[in-house]
Each structure stands twice: as structure tokens, then as C-alpha cells.
């Protein structure tokens, strides 16, 4: 099995501070949509020029990069070369051509990954734990019971899912077979570390204005450490390259609650958490 590329886990410390509200709502740089020939020798993303930028002339206004663009640049520098390739380009959908091939964990050998879905210039990026049974069979993220609950919550929060990029920290469904059923298994720290380079590359590629970590696995993958979701939910922390991360629960948590009253209260709290994203990136509203 090919050696797994790794990323350093020493991400920027939050220091107990929350990023400045509104910073991520700066205009995003839109990526070119021109298709690249599969026979071209150039890399999927243009390399930075080695020539120093020309000095500004007198009176010339130099545009500052947006916070999202600056974070993207910092994250590019933190990403090792082996995680920047375009291996498996011929086997990938066009939208994922610039991403490295997802190397499966040992327990997922021979199975296709469930990749992210959504605009590659999305202002809002939602990150979950892993695909479930329906997602694994359908090849798309968040199309099962938790996904349908997420769709409903996004509508109530005033967010258009079609304007968001939706993905998971772990790209394969980890399960244990019980007769005809495939029962979910929570990814462990090794699984999170294994798939983390591919998640980081997605963030570089999409460069969102705000990341939403839904659940403990997503938060650990983004922050490089465990955090208490129930204690910190609704807060915004500094994540990869300085990108802001909004913490909330995973929608499957709501589905598991046995008490109807508690389920209604937690669902309302979840909608409130998602609605807080609009203070950072107002773009993903229904058209």
C-alpha cells in the first residue's frame, strides 16, 4: 500500500481568541473554470512565480488579499509536496482533478471514497465525520438520514446547501457487518490522521471563508486535537492556515436522542449554530 502523506499537526493556536467577525465575508477570489487538457504537462494548479512582484508606482493602490486568500496561502505552505499531486486524475470527476488521490485506510481497501460535493469556490464548507451506509452506496456525502436532517436545518437557518461545499473528515464508511446490516463505527485517531491530508487539500482547493465542523471527529481533523463540542459549540476558533471554524454537533447526534423534547431543543440549537455562519459568510443564502 502506498505510503500515506502526512501533514504537521501544529496548527495555529487559538489562544482563547475568536477571529474577527466579518473578516471571512470579504469577497472571494473566483477560480477559473477553463478545463485543462488531460495531456497537458503543466500541474493542476499554477506554480507561484519566482520573480518578485513589481514595486507599486507612486500613488498606486495595492489590493490586500482577503483573509480567506491569505489563509489559503499559509495552508499551501504547510502542505507537503506529496499531498499536492494530482495522482488518479483519470479516475476522478473533473471537479476533483486537482486533488490528490484518496488512499484508503487498511479497512477500506478496494472501496471507492466518498468525495466532497459543491462549488469549488464556496464561501461555506461543511465538514462531517464520515459517509454512512447510504452515502457509501450512493457515492455522495450527506444523502442519508443525517443528511436529510441537515438539509432541513440549513433551510431553516436560511442557508442554501447548493452554495456550500459539503465533505467529511474520513472519506470511507467504517463499519462492522452484523448479518445484512452494516453498523457504523466511529473513526479513531489513526483514521483521522490518515485522511487528514486529503481534507487539508480540499480546504486549500476550495478556500472557504468559513469552515463548519459538525461533530468531534470533524473538529479533531481540522484543529489537530480533541475539543469538547458540547462545551464549545457555536464558537468560532482559528483553524488551518488561520481559517475560522464554527463548531457544532453532527446531525446524527440529534437522530440518536431518545427524548422528543430534548431532540426538539437540540435541533433548534443546531439551526441556531448554522445560522451563526451567516454573520461570517452571508453569500450562501437561497437565491
Amino acid at each position: 500500500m502506498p505510503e500515506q502523506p502526512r501533514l504537521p499537526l501544529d496548527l495555529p493556536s487559538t489562544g482563547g481568541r475568536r477571529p474577527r467577525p466579518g473578516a471571512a465575508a470579504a469577497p472571494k477570489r473566483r477560480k477559473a473554470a477553463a478545463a485543462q487538457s488531460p495531456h497537458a504537462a503543466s500541474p493542476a494548479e499554477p506554480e507561484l512565480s519566482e520573480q518578485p512582484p513589481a514595486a507599486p508606482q507612486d500613488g498606486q493602490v495595492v489590493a490586500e488579499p482577503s483573509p480567506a486568500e491569505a489563509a489559503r496561502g499559509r495552508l499551501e505552505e504547510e502542505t507537503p509536496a506529496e499531498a499536492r499531486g494530482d495522482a488518479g486524475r483519470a479516475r476522478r470527476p473533473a471537479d476533483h482533478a486537482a486533488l490528490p488521490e484518496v488512499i484508503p485506510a487498511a479497512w477500506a481497501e478496494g472501496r471507492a471514497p466518498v468525495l466532497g460535493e459543491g462549488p469549488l469556490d464556496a464561501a461555506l464548507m461543511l465538514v462531517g465525520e464520515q459517509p454512512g451506509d447510504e452515502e457509501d452506496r450512493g457515492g455522495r456525502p450527506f444523502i442519508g438520514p443525517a443528511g436529510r436532517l441537515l438539509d432541513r436545518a440549513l433551510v431553516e437557518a436560511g442557508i442554501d446547501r447548493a452554495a456550500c461545499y459539503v465533505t467529511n473528515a474520513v472519506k470511507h464508511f467504517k463499519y462492522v457487518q452484523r448479518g445484512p446490516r452494516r453498523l457504523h463505527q466511529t473513526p479513531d485517531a489513526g483514521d483521522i490522521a490518515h485522511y487528514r491530508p486529503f481534507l487539508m487539500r480540499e480546504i486549500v482547493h476550495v478556500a472557504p471563508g468559513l469552515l463548519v465542523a459538525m461533530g468531534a471527529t470533524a473538529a479533531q481533523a481540522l484543529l489537530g486535537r480533541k475539543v469538547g463540542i458540547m462545551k464549545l459549540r457555536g464558537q468560532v476558533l482559528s483553524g488551518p492556515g488561520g481559517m475560522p471554524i464554527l463548531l457544532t454537533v453532527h446531525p446524527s447526534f440529534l437522530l440518536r436522542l431518545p427524548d422528543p423534547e430534548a431532540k426538539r431543543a437540540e435541533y433548534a440549537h443546531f439551526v441556531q449554530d448554522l445560522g451563526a455562519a451567516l454573520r461570517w459568510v452571508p453569500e450562501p443564502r437561497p437565491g
Side-chain angles (χ1 to χ4, degrees):
M1 177 173 147
E3 183 179 353
Q4 167 64 28
R6 297 184 179 276
L7 282 179
L9 297 184
D10 53 342
L11 296 178
S13 171
T14 63
R17 299 187 302 272
R18 294 172 60 173
R20 179 171 58 87
K28 290 174 56 65
R29 181 180 57 192
R30 301 293 175 181
K31 300 177 179 65
Q36 185 178 15
S37 169
H39 304 293
S42 57
E45 295 190 23
E47 296 182 356
L48 298 177
S49 171
E50 296 183 358
Q51 298 296 327
Q57 300 177 358
D58 291 341
Q60 181 179 359
V61 178
V62 180
E64 293 291 334
S66 71
E69 290 172 344
R72 183 181 191 275
R74 290 192 295 271
L75 188 56
E76 284 274 15
E77 295 175 359
E78 295 174 11
T79 307
E82 60 267 27
R84 299 181 184 178
D86 58 352
R89 172 190 291 269
R91 299 195 300 272
R92 297 192 153 276
D95 283 350
H96 298 92
L99 299 175
E101 181 180 11
V102 175
I103 301 172
W107 45 264
E109 285 288 349
R111 291 160 48 198
V114 178
L115 303 175
E117 180 178 82
L120 295 183
D121 58 356
L124 188 62
M125 183 170 178
L126 307 175
V127 183
E129 180 195 77
Q130 67 170 358
D133 182 71
E134 290 189 39
E135 288 81 2
D136 183 55
R137 298 180 191 278
R140 296 177 54 205
F142 284 95
I143 59 173
R148 291 189 285 273
L149 186 61
L150 172 63
D151 288 347
R152 174 185 157 194
L154 287 171
V155 170
E156 293 190 26
I159 297 173
D160 183 5
R161 170 168 170 164
C164 303
Y165 187 88
V166 183
T167 191
N168 282 295
V170 173
K171 307 304 182 187
H172 288 89
F173 176 38
K174 188 176 185 180
Y175 64 90
V176 59
Q177 194 78 39
R178 290 286 186 268
R181 300 181 61 195
R182 303 194 299 174
L183 302 182
H184 166 276
Q185 279 193 312
T186 302
D188 59 29
D191 300 326
I192 295 171
H194 176 92
Y195 287 98
R196 190 166 186 267
F198 310 108
L199 176 61
M200 294 297 103
R201 190 56 192 166
E202 278 184 297
I203 297 171
V204 169
H205 197 51
V206 178
L210 178 70
L211 295 159
V212 178
M214 297 186 293
T217 296
Q220 183 175 346
L222 291 170
L223 294 168
R225 57 186 174 84
K226 292 183 178 181
V227 295
I229 289 295
M230 299 307 291
K231 181 180 179 180
L232 297 175
R233 66 181 298 183
Q235 296 188 30
V236 177
L237 306 181
S238 178
M243 285 188 179
I245 301 176
L246 173 65
L247 302 181
T248 188
V249 298
H250 193 281
S252 64
F253 161 75
L254 305 174
L255 295 174
R256 294 192 300 267
L257 292 174
D259 180 63
E261 189 62 34
K263 183 175 291 189
R264 282 192 291 270
E266 287 295 340
Y267 174 77
H269 197 171
F270 181 55
V271 172
Q272 180 181 352
D273 288 346
L274 294 175
L278 295 177
R279 296 198 294 268
W280 292 79
V281 283
E283 293 96 330
R285 293 182 182 275

